Amino acid sequence: MRDAWQEDLSDAALLATPVGYARGVLGMDLYPWQERVLADLEEPGMISLRCCNEAGKTTHVAAPAIIWVMDLFPGSQVVVTSGAWRQVLHQLFPALQRFKSRFPEWEFGTHTVRSPHGSRCVGF
């Protein structure tokens, strides 16, 4: 049975959305609030997310959003900043590296990710 959010979209169109990509390509299970935040990325503008520690902001929102941008927009440049270097080095980039097996041709470093089609993510 298809989920309600899939009813009006073809499979290709669904996979092009941040939510569809996270679920269909990355194989992630998401809470409704995580889906809403990812869905907000489809429209231009700023997004703010505030919730408790360990809720999945980095692993279930930021990391799949970065991979989605890098994969669907060849040549894209994603710059990630944080007030604390440990957040970038010990939380975000390990969250990105868990997708290594799905993208064996990509280069995953300690604070960079590069795709073969020119997309790049760098953390500061």
Side-chain angles (χ1 to χ4, degrees):
M1 183 172 150
R2 295 172 70 91
D3 291 317
W5 60 273
Q6 294 176 328
E7 289 177 4
D8 297 327
L9 297 173
S10 71
D11 288 339
L14 178 64
L15 292 176
T17 68
V19 174
Y21 188 88
R23 291 183 70 172
V25 175
L26 300 178
M28 299 180 74
D29 289 323
L30 301 168
Y31 288 114
W33 70 265
Q34 293 165 334
E35 288 184 357
R36 285 191 301 273
V37 174
L38 286 171
D40 285 345
L41 294 174
E42 295 179 55
E43 298 295 325
M46 297 176 70
I47 298 172
S48 177
L49 172 58
R50 184 181 76 174
C51 59
C52 64
N53 291 340
E54 302 295 323
K57 297 179 298 288
T58 300
T59 59
H60 284 70
V61 178
I66 291 167
I67 297 291
W68 172 72
V69 168
M70 290 181 65
D71 197 20
L72 267 64
F73 302 96
S76 60
Q77 303 295 309
V78 179
V79 178
V80 180
T81 62
S82 175
W85 174 241
R86 68 183 179 279
Q87 170 79 18
V88 174
L89 190 62
H90 298 296
Q91 292 179 346
L92 179 62
F93 277 84
L96 292 170
Q97 289 175 2
R98 73 180 180 177
F99 300 118
K100 244 178 165 169
S101 64
R102 294 184 184 269
F103 302 94
E105 69 283 359
W106 290 29
E107 297 174 29
F108 289 83
T110 58
H111 62 283
T112 61
V113 177
R114 295 178 192 272
S115 77
H117 58 268
S119 293
R120 183 172 73 126
C121 175
V122 63
F124 293 101

